[in-house]
Amino acid sequence: MEPVTAPRLTTALLHGAARPEMWRVLADRLRDLDTDPAVADLLRGGPTAHPATRAELAGRLASAAATDPRLAGVLGDWAATVLEGGGRADGSGGAEGAPSGPGAGAAAVPGAPGVPGSPEAPGTTRTANAVTGAATVLGPVVQAGEVQGGVHIHVPPVPAAPPRADARQVPRQLLPDPEHFTGRTDALALLDALLPQLGARPLLTVVSGPAGVGKSSLVTRWLHGLGDRFPDGQLYADLRGHLPDGGPAAPGEILGRFLRAIGVKEVPAEPAESAALWRSHTAGLRLAVMLDNALSAAQVRPLLPSSPGSLVVVTSRRRLTALGIDGASFQQLGVLSAADAVRLLAGRIGADRVRREPEAAQEVAALCAGLPLAVSVAAARLAARPQQSLSAMAGALGGSGASRLAALSLGGEAAVRLALDASYHQLTPELARGYRRLGLPPVTVLNGPVAAAACAVGPDEGDRLLDDLAEVSLLEDLGPDDTTGLGRYRFHDLVRAHAGQLADATEEPEARRETVRRVVDHYLAAATAAEELLTPSHRSLRRDYAFPPRHRPPFDTAAGALGWLDTERFHLMAALRTAAEHGWDATAWQLADAMWPLFLRLRPYDLWVEAHVIGRAAAERAGDRRGLSRMLTSGGVGLRNAGRSDEAVAWFTEAVHGARADADRKAEAQALHGLGQSHLLAGRLDEATAYLTEALALREAIGYRRGAAMTRICLGDAALAAGRPGDALTPLAEARAALLAVPDPYDAARALALLGLALARAGARHTTGEDAETVLLRALDEFAATGSVHWRARTLDMLGESAALRGDPAAARDRYERSLALYEPVSESDAARLRTRLTELGPLP
């Protein structure tokens, strides 16, 4: 057997990626050896889950094998099977006489062990082995007694595995690499000096300094150069530590964003649970995390990953020395040297202009107090006016008196204010008005539709406004959004504060209020358009606009609508909170209502519950009975799904009383249905069945067919939970037929999956003659079409149970393993349950 080396293992892993059964064999064997859990997790992710980490994986395996003979034996045998001998997935050899492996087709080697004609096979006939003629041989190794002619050796390309819908996408969320980064050699060297510690423990460092000093640019430049060290992704979050409105970002908000980025679909509502889930899912990952604009150590701590291979860099105006107990190192970033400040200026406006006026260039850099933000703002103004002298810019920045310079050197924000004032006064009246108004809305990332709403202009004018402000460095261009394709821009928090202060000083209070209301109404209109595309049956309540929408939403398909909701979820919540704070109560509860498809499809439980708590209070203040009923029922669903069943029961009970008082039978049925579901999830099956039966009767009486079908699904689920699968067959079959007629393909697939499980447990066949296996496979295909990972995992789980019930443990194991692979990134509780089932199955015979 050849020695276990990293290059040999890399080649074996590459070839094994084309043979998933071989990949599973290695994962199983390593699991049996209790090897490094992170390595086993990588392998269990499947051959296409981590293609970029195969070389790293091979290196870790080879290093471990050097001190572990058992591991070396397993790896050597597996690599030989993949590369040289072929064989079945269990490693026991191929079918008699069947060539296999990359070198299949090459002649047997005389004299080799176990080959006829070898010393170990006395009395057998030796096989002549020759390669002649203009042959082309596929395979990395050829063994021959004689080689003649023009032989060409080609290694066949490994066929690319088809992309898996559940394959985890590696997040790359860093801000764009700063284009005109200058200097900072010493600061970068200090950061580089931390890298040898990486891998021994999680690495945490804090870069602090005054506003505008370039902390974010420094860290962004450094992390962009380290991408290869973090194959599992680079995450970014603006913690908004110094925004005047909206406040610092809550750790739960950022945890939800990070968990979704690494593949967790269902995020707990409670921040403590989210933090625990974050630590669990990052235990074996190599991640770089940038936490920008932090306010406090308490804001940072829940966001720290647990893997020794992780790196977290925090930027803050404060030193955050309390993070020292978490093992943090600290770097205080000072202003640019005079020479580097002039170089930055030259990079933005051209070296020739600086050479023509060297003293004025130095004066401009000094007046900007060495702050990159101030220098960049001044340079952008100069770049836009190629005829303006640097001396004139120095004069505009306030003169060169010694006392003035001393004052500037003490306060970075004053220098930025001077540069911003100088740039602002050069804007056209239209652009200046846009700048002021864009500092008012409660959003951190701007796009054309938002700018158009804020400034009451057309969408083209909104895009042009943002582009013009970016040209003079008053906005930062973040590039297009991956989902919507819209351009994205953001203010530095100092620039946003400057714009807002100017608005306060120059705009009438009513004009400022209208600016914010137009943006809030824009989000209400766009969310409502998404609701109409994604959940048309839910879109039944009125919308009240102070400023009716003037433009089309930035999407025209259901997929685009869901992507927009996902991208804008935090701005939608900011709009909802702002509406409530301003007393726009109808808008507040209507925003919560319009976000229903976001909550239903993507399950951000923390936002779901918060939105409906705010919406419920707003509907109560407004005295809107229909709005209150919707907030109670939709919010009850969120509470129930977040595991807060008793609170959900209280909300649904209040909804029942309100609906009866209003004689609203449809709302009453909805509330009864919610009560039944809440008791069902809490395990109170008798109460669940009673409420669901009452809801079904009421829905049938008012002719609400789709609602009746949804209640029948729950009644079937309750019968399954009670161990009465025969009683589940009729309601589930009826629900399936009704939902296909609506049509509602997603819920129709749910009914079909549960029907397949009921058939399996009852040992029955469908009325069509199909067995449980066939029904469940059909449901699996339907969920693949609707894009539901959770229900695909659940259906595979049902298929595993069906196989176990009919006495096929091998098929049961295969289905459970496939279900586990889908559940692991999204639901730790379900993954734990699947691991238990696999353990109970025992080893394969």
Side-chain angles (χ1 to χ4, degrees):
M1 184 193 311
E2 290 192 25
V4 177
T5 64
R8 179 171 171 79
L9 280 175
T10 300
T11 304
L13 290 171
L14 182 64
H15 284 272
R19 302 171 62 189
E21 74 281 1
M22 293 307 300
W23 196 279
R24 286 196 295 272
V25 166
L26 182 58
D28 290 342
R29 291 182 179 180
L30 293 183
R31 184 167 56 239
D32 293 341
L33 285 179
D34 294 326
T35 190
D36 181 353
V39 172
D41 284 344
L42 284 176
L43 286 164
R44 279 199 297 275
T48 61
H50 295 273
T53 64
R54 288 181 195 132
E56 175 204 348
L57 183 60
R60 293 170 70 176
L61 287 169
S63 176
T67 58
D68 187 341
R70 293 176 63 213
L71 177 60
V74 167
L75 292 173
D77 288 344
W78 184 82
T81 300
V82 173
L83 294 176
E84 298 161 13
R88 297 203 314 265
D90 61 3
S92 61
E96 184 177 353
S100 60
V109 183
V115 174
S118 71
E120 286 76 14
T124 57
T125 303
R126 295 179 62 87
T127 302
N129 183 14
V131 179
T132 62
T136 297
V137 178
L138 296 179
V141 178
V142 177
Q143 296 177 324
E146 182 181 357
V147 177
Q148 299 177 359
V151 178
H152 302 279
I153 298 179
H154 298 274
V155 177
V158 176
R164 292 186 348 183
D166 60 304
R168 184 174 62 85
Q169 299 297 314
V170 176
R172 299 292 179 187
Q173 299 180 345
L174 295 179
L175 299 174
D177 198 2
E179 182 180 359
H180 297 287
F181 187 85
T182 302
R184 303 300 194 193
T185 304
D186 292 343
L188 289 169
L190 288 172
L191 290 171
D192 283 339
L194 301 173
L195 293 175
Q197 304 171 46
L198 194 63
R201 62 180 178 86
L203 196 57
L204 171 63
T205 189
V206 179
V207 177
S208 58
V213 80
K215 303 180 293 294
S216 299
S217 293
L218 170 72
V219 173
T220 299
R221 167 56 61 94
W222 185 56
L223 290 179
H224 268 288
L226 301 177
D228 291 345
R229 289 176 175 260
F230 302 101
D232 295 306
Q234 294 170 308
L235 300 173
Y236 171 87
D238 182 355
L239 302 189
R240 309 193 301 269
H242 304 282
L243 284 184
D245 52 12
E253 170 190 328
I254 306 302
L255 281 170
R257 189 183 307 172
F258 282 176
L259 284 166
R260 283 183 287 272
I262 64 172
V264 178
K265 303 299 183 185
E266 297 188 13
V267 177
E270 297 300 325
E273 293 182 37
S274 293
L277 192 63
W278 167 245
R279 290 191 296 272
S280 297
H281 277 273
T282 58
L285 300 183
R286 299 183 66 181
L287 287 169
V289 180
M290 180 176 174
L291 302 176
D292 209 4
N293 297 315
L295 181 66
S296 66
Q299 191 186 23
V300 169
R301 276 195 189 99
L303 308 176
L304 300 178
S306 60
S307 168
S310 63
L311 166 68
V312 178
V313 190
V314 182
T315 72
S316 179
R317 297 185 197 176
R318 303 180 180 183
R319 293 181 182 269
L320 303 187
T321 52
L323 288 174
I325 62 175
D326 301 280
S329 61
F330 301 91
Q331 181 174 159
Q332 181 76 11
L333 190 63
V335 298
L336 290 172
S337 68
D340 281 340
V342 172
R343 289 191 192 97
L344 177 58
L345 184 65
R348 299 293 299 268
I349 68 173
D352 287 344
R353 291 179 74 179
V354 170
R355 277 195 295 267
R356 288 197 297 269
E357 297 183 85
E359 292 181 359
Q362 292 171 9
E363 188 176 350
V364 169
L367 284 165
C368 290
L371 287 164
L373 176 61
V375 174
S376 296
V377 171
R381 178 182 160 192
L382 285 164
R385 294 168 177 77
Q387 303 306 316
Q388 183 179 17
S389 68
L390 272 69
S391 299
M393 171 58 75
L397 287 173
S400 57
S403 61
R404 184 71 164 171
L405 287 174
L408 286 172
S409 67
L410 293 175
E413 293 190 30
V416 176
R417 175 74 190 222
L418 283 172
L420 292 173
D421 281 344
S423 287
Y424 171 73
H425 290 306
Q426 296 298 317
L427 298 177
T428 65
E430 179 186 5
L431 199 56
R433 183 172 57 253
Y435 174 68
R436 296 192 302 267
R437 290 182 175 179
L438 290 176
L440 296 172
V443 294
T444 56
V445 177
L446 300 164
N447 56 43
V450 171
C455 301
V457 297
D460 292 341
E461 290 89 342
D463 288 328
R464 185 162 51 250
L465 175 66
L466 294 172
D467 190 55
D468 289 346
L469 290 173
E471 280 294 316
V472 293
S473 289
L474 293 175
L475 280 177
E476 181 182 359
D477 186 349
L478 301 179
D481 183 81
D482 291 339
T483 301
T484 65
L486 296 172
R488 300 174 304 145
Y489 300 81
R490 74 167 187 169
F491 279 121
H492 185 285
D493 54 0
L494 279 184
V495 182
R496 185 173 185 269
H498 180 261
Q501 290 164 5
L502 287 170
D504 289 343
T506 60
E507 303 274 352
E508 292 295 327
E510 187 58 29
R512 297 198 303 270
R513 185 179 174 89
E514 286 183 2
T515 296
V516 176
R517 183 65 184 269
R518 280 194 297 269
V519 173
V520 171
D521 278 359
H522 158 74
Y523 276 106
L524 175 59
T528 299
E531 181 190 22
E532 289 174 341
L533 278 170
L534 293 163
T535 53
S537 64
H538 187 269
R539 172 69 185 98
S540 59
L541 299 185
R542 76 175 199 280
R543 295 290 181 257
D544 298 316
Y545 298 104
F547 300 95
R550 299 171 53 189
H551 314 301
R552 292 180 56 193
F555 48 80
D556 53 14
T557 66
L562 188 60
W564 181 85
L565 287 170
D566 190 12
T567 298
E568 295 285 352
R569 66 174 72 191
F570 297 110
H571 289 155
L572 285 162
M573 287 299 300
L576 191 156
R577 297 181 192 114
T578 298
E581 290 164 4
H582 281 75
W584 305 327
D585 290 327
T587 302
W589 73 255
Q590 288 168 19
L591 264 167
D593 185 49
M595 292 166 70
W596 174 250
L598 166 69
F599 301 140
L600 183 66
R601 300 285 185 91
L602 302 180
R603 305 297 178 103
Y605 294 131
D606 52 343
L607 303 184
W608 190 339
V609 172
E610 181 192 355
H612 284 84
V613 168
I614 296 172
R616 173 185 176 177
E620 287 174 339
R621 288 193 300 269
D624 193 303
R625 301 291 300 173
R626 293 193 70 195
L628 177 59
S629 176
R630 178 62 63 84
M631 289 299 97
L632 287 169
T633 53
S634 298
V637 176
L639 288 165
R640 183 188 69 222
N641 289 343
R644 296 158 63 173
S645 295
D646 290 341
E647 292 176 76
V649 166
W651 281 45
F652 283 120
T653 300
E654 183 178 340
V656 169
H657 295 324
R660 286 172 176 166
D662 296 336
D664 188 337
R665 302 176 75 196
K666 186 173 183 179
E668 180 185 355
Q670 176 71 13
L672 289 167
H673 176 91
L675 269 174
Q677 281 189 299
S678 299
H679 284 295
L680 175 59
L681 287 181
R684 297 185 286 265
L685 301 182
D686 291 341
E687 293 94 329
T689 301
Y691 281 119
L692 290 169
T693 301
E694 189 176 356
L696 177 61
L698 189 50
R699 284 178 160 176
E700 287 184 323
I702 63 176
Y704 183 20
R705 293 186 62 201
R706 180 182 177 277
M710 300 296 288
T711 302
R712 285 190 172 93
I713 289 178
C714 293
L715 281 166
D717 206 2
L720 285 169
R724 304 191 313 273
D727 293 343
L729 296 176
T730 297
L732 290 171
E734 291 176 349
R736 166 74 174 177
L739 290 165
L740 285 174
V742 173
D744 182 346
Y746 173 77
D747 288 310
R750 289 177 56 223
L752 185 64
L754 290 168
L755 177 59
L757 180 61
L759 291 169
R761 290 183 180 176
R765 283 182 172 269
H766 195 290
T767 54
T768 61
E770 295 173 314
D771 61 10
E773 175 90 358
T774 303
V775 170
L776 287 167
L777 287 171
R778 188 145 52 92
L780 186 64
D781 288 341
E782 292 182 15
F783 284 125
T786 60
S788 174
V789 174
H790 177 86
W791 269 94
R792 284 171 59 206
R794 188 170 176 186
T795 306
L796 283 165
D797 183 1
M798 295 175 184
L799 279 161
E801 181 179 339
S802 175
L805 288 170
R806 69 172 184 268
D808 189 347
R813 175 175 292 279
D814 174 71
R815 269 62 181 277
Y816 285 151
E817 287 178 344
R818 290 168 62 192
S819 176
L820 176 61
L822 291 175
Y823 267 137
E824 280 187 318
V826 301
S827 175
E828 179 55 33
S829 60
D830 285 311
R833 178 173 52 76
L834 264 295
R835 284 191 283 268
T836 300
R837 288 198 172 189
L838 284 165
T839 301
E840 291 170 349
L841 276 179
L844 288 173

